[in-house]
């Protein structure tokens, strides 16, 4: 995990006016912006930070002695700075970015799990840099990227042709934001995370559909940076077929309709499954198990980390997704290491009021007085139970099942309790980090991930004990169950699609889910979680797992004819059942923001839709 920045400044050094005859933005304004960006991006990689400057010579067209000169000049051209921070999670040797060789510069924020031969003691960024430099032509870059699987965002400067290449992986599992030059802000920026909603840099998510190439040499020679930027920026397709380039693009959902009356599984306890379904269950377990293995093995040990401390944690709600990931991680993490289960709960005044006072507007005055007295008498009780949110209840239940099944493993159930005042104090920082996400739902989810990823909470002495001790998770790799609902039909809208449009409606909805995965959650989640110097990994969103699940006939993944807790994500439920997770297999879907009570904190928030834009914390 890294934080990366690439900045490009237009115009001549020392100019007092820009090409539009307007006063130039003072250097200290841009320097302040640059330093602020470095601070927030350095938080993603606390192990090391480095920067590298280059000046690309341009044609000077400054006025001199009343005449305009056009000649090469060291003072004119473009200043380009590369910055990268490093969270060391690959290889035995400390790495300081940016990578540099022969004038080429490479900033890498990613992990290669498949498709590139990287030994345990090697760093994947170093290996990939060597692979890119060994290409006979940069036209082969899409082919190289199409053969590697893993989350990534990168910036690569090719010195010979003075071109800048940058991209995210096809799923967008790593954040990269872009600011294009404008008249008021004539600089170009790429950054893993921004400083928030600031007029000095209007940043947006970089598209995952293509690989971008900026012809800096041509841009430099034009001396019209703002006007010519778009013409110097080209989009390179992620071409290739599934056989030769398996990770170039997202797979398409299988469009085959099931038979008129596909066989139905009457219950998850069915001992005999249709043959195709039984095979699919086995293959899902195999694919998911391998995906988890690749994401938890060979995590470097820090010298300051004592033996027996956790290196892997799971964002844990007690639901089926996080539980099966925890179970599979148990198979591949050394038995002498604990696995931390991060379970977050918010003190939510609106929820507490509803639980303790009921619907005040619909009860008598006598009943109001009785409830008020009861509320005052039970203030201490209310304080102790305010964190018993739905995800805390199911989390405590599910860790018991893991302890029964996974002998010899220490499971640290980390209770991350967030007081209301603390969540509100952090709101401005969360809003800035999740930007350009700005909806009510963005904030609710970002709040939950922000505090969960910090891993600051407590663990109980035993499952039945009220005694607890403070605990901060040292794990830097966090497993996240995101993707299972989109791929396996876990949302209520999949059932609605079946009711209104039959199996074809479900297929169409699943394709829509897959199409919008890159734009909905992943960039925001990466920015928020990584702000704590942690890295989130998504086993369900391995492109290998995505390809397998997308290719399955729809009726093997879900059955909307069956009740909730059975038909939704049916294939995953059967897989959980097969490995012994009986309790987890029947848990119903519950959104993180509602399970943790991070949503709708205020009295007036009950009716606010998730897609509404938030008011900034400063406006509250």
């Amino acid at each position: 995990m890294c934080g990366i920045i690439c900045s490009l400044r237009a115009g001549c050094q020392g100019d007092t006016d820009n090409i539009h005859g307007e006063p130039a933005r003072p250097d200290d304004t841009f320097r302040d912006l640059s330093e602020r960006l470095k601070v927030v991006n350095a938080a993603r990689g606390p192990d090391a930070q480095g920067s590298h400057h280059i000046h690309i010579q341009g044609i000077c067209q400054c006025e001199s002695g009343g005449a305009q000169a056009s000649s090469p000049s060291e003072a004119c051209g473009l200043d380009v700075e590369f910055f990268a921070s490093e969270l060391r999670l690959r290889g035995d040797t400390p790495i300081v970015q940016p990578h540099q060789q022969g004038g080429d510069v490479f900033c890498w924020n990613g992990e290669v799990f498949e498709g590139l031969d990287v030994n345990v003691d090697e760093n994947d960024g170093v290996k990939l840099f060597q692979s890119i430099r060994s290409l006979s032509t940069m036209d082969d870059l899409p082919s190289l990227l199409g053969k590697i699987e893993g989350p990534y965002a990168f910036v690569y400067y090719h010195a010979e042709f003075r071109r800048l290449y940058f991209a995210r992986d096809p799923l967008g599992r790593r954040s990269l934001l872009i600011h294009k030059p404008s008249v008021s802000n004539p600089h170009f920026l790429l950054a893993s995370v921004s400083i928030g909603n600031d007029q000095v840099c209007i940043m947006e998510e970089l598209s995952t559909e293509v690989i971008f190439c900026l012809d800096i040499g041509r841009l430099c020679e034009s001396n019209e940076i703002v006007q010519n930027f778009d013409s110097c920026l080209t989009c390179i397709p992620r071409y290739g077929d599934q056989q030769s380039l398996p990770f170039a693009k997202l797979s398409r959902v299988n469009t085959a309709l099931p038979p008129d009356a596909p066989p139905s599984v009457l219950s998850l306890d069915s001992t005999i499954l249709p043959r195709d379904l039984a095979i699919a269950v086995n293959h899902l377990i195999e694919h998911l198990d391998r995906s988890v293995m690749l994401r938890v093995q060979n995590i470097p040990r820090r010298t300051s980390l004592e033996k027996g401390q956790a290196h892997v944690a799971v964002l844990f709600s007690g639901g089926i997704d996080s539980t099966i990931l925890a179970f599979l991680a148990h198979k591949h993490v050394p038995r002498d290491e604990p696995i931390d289960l991060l379970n977050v709960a918010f003190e939510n005044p609106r929820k507490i009021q509803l639980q303790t006072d009921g619907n005040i507007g619909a009860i008598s005055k006598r009943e109001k007085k009785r409830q008020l007295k009861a509320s005052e008498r039970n203030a201490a009780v209310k304080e102790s139970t305010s964190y018993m949110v739905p995800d805390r209840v199911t989390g405590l239940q599910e860790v018991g099942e893991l302890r029964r099944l996974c002998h010899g493993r220490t499971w640290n159930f980390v209770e991350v309790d967030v007081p209301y005042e603390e969540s509100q104090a952090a709101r401005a920082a969360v809003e800035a980090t999740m930007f350009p996400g700005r909806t009510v739902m963005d904030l609710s989810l970002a709040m939950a991930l922000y505090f969960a990823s910090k891993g600051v909470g407590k663990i109980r002495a035993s499952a039945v004990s009220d005694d607890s001790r403070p605990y901060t998770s040292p794990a830097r790799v966090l497993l996240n169950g995101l993707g299972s609902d989109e791929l396996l039909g876990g949302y209520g809208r999949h059932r609605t699609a079946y009711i209104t449009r039959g199996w074809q409606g479900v297929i169409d909805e699943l394709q829509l889910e897959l199409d919008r995965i890159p734009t909905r959650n992943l960039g925001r989640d990466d920015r928020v979680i990584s702000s704590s110097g942690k890295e989130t990994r998504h086993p369900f969103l391995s492109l290998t797992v995505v390809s397998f699940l997308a290719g399955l006939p729809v009726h093997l993944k879900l059955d909307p004819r069956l009740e909730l807790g059975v038909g939704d994500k049916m294939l995953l439920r059967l897989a959980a059942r097969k490995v012994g997770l009986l309790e987890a297999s029947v848990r119903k879907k519950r959104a993180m923001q509602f399970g943790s009570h991070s949503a709708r904190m205020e009295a007036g928030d009950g009716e606010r839709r998730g897609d509404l834009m938030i008011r900034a914390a400063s406006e509250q």
Side-chain angles (χ1 to χ4, degrees), residues 6 54 56 80 82 99 101-107 129 131-141 154-166 212-217:
C6 175
I54 60 175
I56 302 177
V80 186
F82 302 90
H99 305 287
Q101 187 175 347
D104 294 350
V105 185
F106 185 48
C107 294
F129 185 39
S131 297
I132 297 175
R133 295 195 78 248
S134 67
L135 294 174
S136 57
T137 170
M138 288 301 291
D139 290 342
D140 294 332
L141 181 61
F154 73 88
V155 178
Y156 180 85
Y157 176 66
H158 188 252
E160 181 181 1
F161 293 105
R162 302 197 299 179
R163 290 175 180 166
L164 190 74
Y165 296 85
F166 50 98
F212 293 90
C213 175
L214 179 63
D215 191 335
I216 296 181

Side-chain angles (χ1 to χ4, degrees), residues 120-238:
V120 174
D121 60 344
E122 293 180 314
N123 179 274
D124 56 343
V126 172
K127 294 281 287 192
L128 186 58
F129 185 39
Q130 295 170 351
S131 297
I132 297 175
R133 295 195 78 248
S134 67
L135 294 174
S136 57
T137 170
M138 288 301 291
D139 290 342
D140 294 332
L141 181 61
S143 178
L144 173 63
L145 296 176
K147 295 175 183 176
I148 65 172
E149 149 51 18
Y152 64 78
F154 73 88
V155 178
Y156 180 85
Y157 176 66
H158 188 252
E160 181 181 1
F161 293 105
R162 302 197 299 179
R163 290 175 180 166
L164 190 74
Y165 296 85
F166 50 98
R168 301 164 70 197
D169 71 82
L171 266 172
R173 289 164 287 183
R174 290 291 174 262
S175 170
L176 192 59
L177 305 176
I178 183 172
H179 164 85
K180 295 182 179 182
S182 64
V183 173
S184 57
N185 296 300
H187 45 258
F188 167 69
L189 288 169
L190 294 167
S192 299
V193 61
S194 76
I195 57 174
N197 188 16
D198 194 305
Q199 294 303 309
V200 179
C201 56
I202 310 300
M203 306 198 83
E204 58 186 26
E205 297 265 14
L206 188 72
S207 171
T208 62
E209 295 181 359
V210 296
I211 300 164
F212 293 90
C213 175
L214 179 63
D215 191 335
I216 296 181
R218 179 181 160 206
L219 188 65
C220 188
E221 292 168 359
S222 71
N223 207 34
E224 293 285 345
I225 307 304
V226 175
Q227 293 181 8
N228 293 335
F229 181 84
D230 287 339
S231 65
C232 293
L233 182 66
T234 57
C235 299
I236 305 171
R238 294 181 182 271

Side-chain angles (χ1 to χ4, degrees), residues 398-416:
E398 198 50 52
V399 71
E401 183 169 41
L402 286 172
R403 286 170 175 154
R404 291 192 298 271
L405 289 176
C406 305
H407 304 293
R409 170 73 62 195
T410 297
W411 297 98
N412 288 329
F413 185 79
V414 186
E415 300 179 40
V416 180

Side-chain angles (χ1 to χ4, degrees), residues 447-521:
M447 277 286 193
L449 292 172
Y450 178 81
F451 284 99
S453 61
K454 286 182 177 297
V456 179
K458 62 185 180 182
I459 54 178
R460 298 176 189 266
S462 67
V464 296
S465 173
D466 288 332
D467 294 332
S468 62
R469 62 180 175 87
Y471 179 80
T472 298
S473 173
R476 295 172 130 192
V477 170
L478 312 183
L479 298 184
N480 189 329
L482 185 69
S484 70
D485 292 297
E486 290 82 356
L487 294 166
L488 287 155
Y491 292 120
R493 54 181 172 266
H494 299 118
R495 186 176 295 269
T496 300
Y498 177 79
I499 293 172
T500 57
R501 293 176 285 140
W503 287 106
Q504 185 61 58
V506 179
I507 293 172
D508 294 342
E509 193 66 34
L510 288 173
Q511 184 60 62
L512 181 61
E513 300 282 7
L514 190 55
D515 290 340
R516 63 189 177 190
I517 279 180
T519 60
R520 294 196 70 183
N521 293 42

